[in-house]
Amino acid sequence: GEFPQKGESLRVTIDVNLADLFTVHKRKFHYARFDDCPDCRSTGLKTGASKVQCTVCGGKGQAVQSFRQGGMFVQSVTMCSNCNGKGKAIRPEDRCSRCKGRCVVQISEEKEIDIPQGMTEAHALVMHQQGHVGRFGGPRGDLIVHLQVVMPEGWEKDAEDLFYHYPVSFTDICLGKKITVDLLDGPADIEIKALKSNQKIKIPNRGLHLQQQGKRGHVWIVPTLRMPSRITEEYRELLLKLKALEQS
């Protein structure tokens, strides 16, 4: 018999900007899925045609293969691949011109989803019964939406913590400096003090939101030495004096 079968689920990945993860926002996207053929109403047949006895299995729905194994005569019974075990098949000339006898056609869909605050690649949104069509009256599969976060230049992400490589000059690192950094959810005032190598500056609770916990990760400012585009003669003389002081 033809029992209802649920359709296959679909997975899609959509790009989102890192800044979008700080708020709840809507996002439209397109995807392709299989649906019932409207021309033949999912029968696979052209108008006025009907299925005939399968010429491969003779209407039995099974294919029998015989072979010898270890001195024994063995028979293997499998489902007929031509009629899918039904015993009846569609002749090539009787196939629906739109779906070519497959009973389904590919269509393009547009959906809009609410992306919750703090959602990352580790999470997925499930849209029930928005996947491929089911067979024999079965429900559609699900649509599973994943995110691909597009990182702006200079930013990195580790779970809910964010790292921003902020360019600073040699004198800033040595002498310290108060600066305003434009984070993804607004500015932050920080002070660059005399730093050690690879030292980071922590801005607490300004990272990504932790879903269902009401907390946030942190932002870490990673001072990155900005080299001058060109070294003037005056700049070179100052560097030579500094080098002499370091060696004395």
Side-chain angles (χ1 to χ4, degrees):
E2 296 180 341
F3 297 101
Q5 300 174 12
K6 184 178 179 178
E8 293 184 6
S9 293
L10 267 170
R11 293 182 181 272
V12 299
T13 301
I14 59 176
D15 289 340
V16 295
N17 294 319
L18 179 62
D20 293 336
L21 302 183
F22 284 85
T23 59
V24 178
H25 67 285
K26 295 182 180 294
R27 177 67 185 275
K28 290 183 178 180
F29 64 97
H30 291 84
Y31 70 102
R33 68 172 180 83
F34 290 118
D35 202 358
D36 288 321
C37 177
D39 287 12
C40 66
R41 296 184 179 179
S42 201
T43 65
L45 293 161
K46 69 180 183 181
T47 303
S50 59
K51 293 183 179 181
V52 298
Q53 179 177 291
C54 177
T55 57
V56 175
C57 66
K60 298 177 181 179
Q62 298 176 336
V64 180
Q65 292 181 324
S66 301
F67 56 93
R68 286 188 175 276
Q69 186 177 32
M72 298 179 61
F73 188 73
V74 180
Q75 282 191 335
S76 173
V77 180
T78 58
M79 183 181 70
C80 177
S81 60
N82 186 57
C83 65
N84 293 322
K86 301 298 188 298
K88 291 186 176 183
I90 303 173
R91 294 181 299 181
E93 61 269 25
D94 291 337
R95 292 173 183 165
C96 169
S97 60
R98 182 166 182 178
C99 69
K100 311 302 180 187
R102 292 188 290 267
C103 303
V104 295
V105 292
Q106 191 176 70
I107 63 172
S108 178
E109 288 268 40
E110 181 185 64
K111 294 293 180 184
E112 184 177 68
I113 58 172
D114 291 320
I115 299 179
Q117 190 180 51
M119 180 178 173
T120 65
E121 295 99 329
H123 310 103
L125 295 172
V126 180
M127 303 181 72
H128 296 290
Q129 296 192 26
Q130 298 299 318
H132 292 308
V133 68
R135 297 298 309 277
F136 315 124
R140 292 180 183 175
D142 298 328
L143 177 64
I144 304 169
V145 182
H146 295 272
L147 299 186
Q148 177 66 46
V149 181
V150 179
M151 303 297 294
E153 185 177 359
W155 287 84
E156 294 179 4
K157 181 170 68 68
D158 183 10
E160 288 80 19
D161 283 356
L162 299 173
F163 297 82
Y164 181 39
H165 294 266
Y166 187 83
V168 294
S169 67
F170 177 68
T171 53
D172 291 339
I173 292 178
C174 294
L175 303 177
K177 182 181 180 181
K178 292 184 178 180
I179 59 173
T180 299
V181 181
D182 289 324
L183 303 182
L184 296 169
D185 63 342
D189 295 325
I190 63 172
E191 183 177 359
I192 297 177
K193 299 179 181 179
L195 297 172
K196 299 178 182 179
S197 178
N198 298 322
Q199 187 175 350
K200 298 183 288 289
I201 302 170
K202 179 181 178 180
I203 305 178
N205 303 316
R206 293 292 295 272
L208 294 176
H209 293 260
L210 280 71
Q211 284 194 317
Q212 300 176 348
Q213 295 186 31
K215 300 179 180 179
R216 295 181 66 174
H218 310 307
V219 172
W220 297 86
I221 302 299
V222 184
T224 305
L225 181 61
R226 181 181 67 240
M227 298 299 293
S229 57
R230 69 184 188 91
I231 297 178
T232 63
E233 188 62 31
E234 181 182 8
Y235 199 101
R236 185 173 184 276
E237 289 178 3
L238 290 172
L239 289 175
L240 290 172
K241 290 180 180 180
L242 177 60
K243 182 177 181 182
L245 287 172
E246 290 174 342
Q247 293 176 345
S248 62

